[in-house]
Amino acid sequence: MTNQLRPRRSCLAVPGSSQKFIDKARTLNSDQIFLDLEDACAPLAKPGARKTIVAALNEGGWGEKIRVVRVNDWTTEWTYRDVTEVVEGAGANLDAIMLPKVQTPEQVVALDLLLTQIEKSLGYEVGRIGIEAQIENALGLINVDKIATASPRVETIIFGPADFMASINMKSLVVGEQPPGYDVGDAYHHILMSILMAARAHDKQAIDGPFLQIRDVEAFTRVAGRSAALGYDGKWVLHPGQIDAANETFSPTQKDYDHAENILDAYEYFTSEAGGKKGSAMIGDEMIDEASRKMALVISGKGRAAGMERTDKWTPPES
Ligand code: GLV
Ligand code: MG
């Protein structure tokens, strides 16, 4: 399965400077981990964290998890060293680099070129290491479509709500919740949808960012449920307690999964010679057609990627 198709329902943030959190992360059941060199890592701790991260990746023990490292953004003095040290030291044991605060497609191209040189010089397959682009300010959002297509390495587009809220002067300090005073809709709808459109237009995954009230799993589930309902593939998790909620929220329910698989079977049968070559047909009380098949494919794809099994099987009518 390529990285683009692998589930990223839960993307666990792990400070790259903390051996304790890194060791704990290995034992958790998130779909992805990202070892952070950016905001969860103090400036003075960054050089040491690069070494800790290289060792942690090379030691292994990550199972099926997608292994990502978040480097610092291109406006700092740290990015090139983050990338060269981590990829030269552990490129074979790394799936993607997460680039925060992406504002222009050129910033993605710069990372792509650097990765390509490192891969060539070390004899690695060129292009295997992916890029996860975080959208965290107004310019990044305006350019999101071009950012998504700036390099074939781009696998995901990620919403970074904390930095985004700060960058647009949103009057709130509670990341992920609605800003007080805005009582006429969802203040994040435009941002979430713009990222989702760019992701879907170009076959990338769309990932929602962190929810900082880490002890309130109910609120996490409510907020995650919104982006999951729109079509997002997953969300960041900052605490072990958020992982199961994310995995569940971004998987189909058993009922929807069974129904989707049944629609696919029924539609295949009814469009076949034996089923009467029909363009539309009935499954129970519901009419299905080609559009129903496409919707069912989305749900069944997510369920299969999450390892779900059918508990109900449609059978053709007796003729
Ligand atoms: C994540 O990086 C955020 O800013 O929300
Ligand atoms: Mg951020």
Side-chain angles (χ1 to χ4, degrees), residues 248-260 299 303 308:
E248 196 173 311
T249 306
F250 289 93
S251 300
T253 61
Q254 185 67 48
K255 191 161 163 259
D256 284 351
Y257 175 65
D258 285 339
H259 190 49
I299 306 286
M308 293 178 79

Side-chain angles (χ1 to χ4, degrees), residues 47 50-51 54 80-91 118:
R50 291 181 189 131
K51 295 187 172 38
V54 167
Y80 79 102
R81 281 231 168 103
D82 291 346
V83 177
T84 43
E85 261 198 54
V86 166
V87 182
E88 284 188 351
I118 301 171

